[in-house]
Amino acid sequence: MLSLFKTRSVVDPALGELRRSSGAWRGHISVGGAPAVALVLPGNGNEPDPRAIEIVRELENSLPDWRAGIAAALLDHLEPYAAEADTGNFSHIKTPEDVWPHARLCHINVFEQSGVLTLELGYGVDWDEDHTLGARFQQGRLVEL
């Protein structure tokens, strides 16, 4: 039986194989020595958006500079959870750097938000197991968590 759907894929030298699925280009990437996570990029039916590819290629270099800002935003997010008894004891988390043993990168998405290409680093955290927290960057700046 012939399939009516042909999977499109491209291979980027830095990002590896990207496959077109559900209106986006998808793959997996490892950043900063972490395990590989899902990568989702915008683009047309023929190729991923070259600007999105460039943003992700720069991620390895940018992440060390962004790490402190991400950690501070994660610590701010922890505050209301730290007071709840049923979320575990996170009272030992006092500084932004203390969040890292309790946070893990889950996905990397690039999408357009308010007309600007936006990079989202999705983090899972131990104190909020129901949500993935998206650290969103536009033009190299953290704009929201």
Side-chain angles (χ1 to χ4, degrees):
M1 175 178 206
L2 292 174
S3 172
L4 298 176
F5 301 100
K6 182 179 177 183
T7 303
R8 294 194 178 122
S9 68
V10 297
V11 177
D12 179 84
L15 306 182
E17 184 177 21
L18 301 168
R19 293 182 173 268
R20 180 82 175 166
S21 174
S22 301
W25 290 89
R26 301 171 187 279
H28 289 87
I29 185 172
S30 178
V31 178
V37 297
L39 171 66
V40 180
L41 302 173
N44 62 35
N46 296 319
E47 65 182 1
D49 185 323
R51 299 170 303 153
I53 287 177
E54 193 57 37
I55 288 170
V56 176
R57 284 181 183 164
E58 290 296 320
L59 181 56
E60 193 76 42
N61 294 327
S62 300
L63 196 54
D65 294 335
W66 295 347
R67 190 172 160 87
I70 296 168
L74 291 173
L75 183 62
D76 287 345
H77 182 270
L78 168 62
E79 262 183 47
Y81 290 85
E84 294 181 23
D86 62 343
T87 61
N89 183 358
F90 298 103
S91 62
H92 64 283
I93 301 175
K94 304 251 188 251
T95 68
E97 197 61 29
D98 294 340
V99 303
W100 292 121
H102 303 280
R104 67 215 147 274
L105 187 62
C106 297
H107 71 259
I108 299 170
N109 294 345
V110 180
F111 57 93
E112 196 165 308
Q113 180 181 23
S114 302
V116 179
L117 217 49
T118 302
L119 170 70
E120 179 180 84
L121 304 175
Y123 286 93
V125 292
D126 293 342
W127 60 85
D128 187 357
E129 295 177 355
D130 294 334
H131 302 97
T132 300
L133 307 176
R136 293 184 176 171
F137 291 83
Q138 292 179 339
Q139 299 172 340
R141 289 185 31 247
L142 179 63
V143 294
E144 68 180 332
L145 178 75

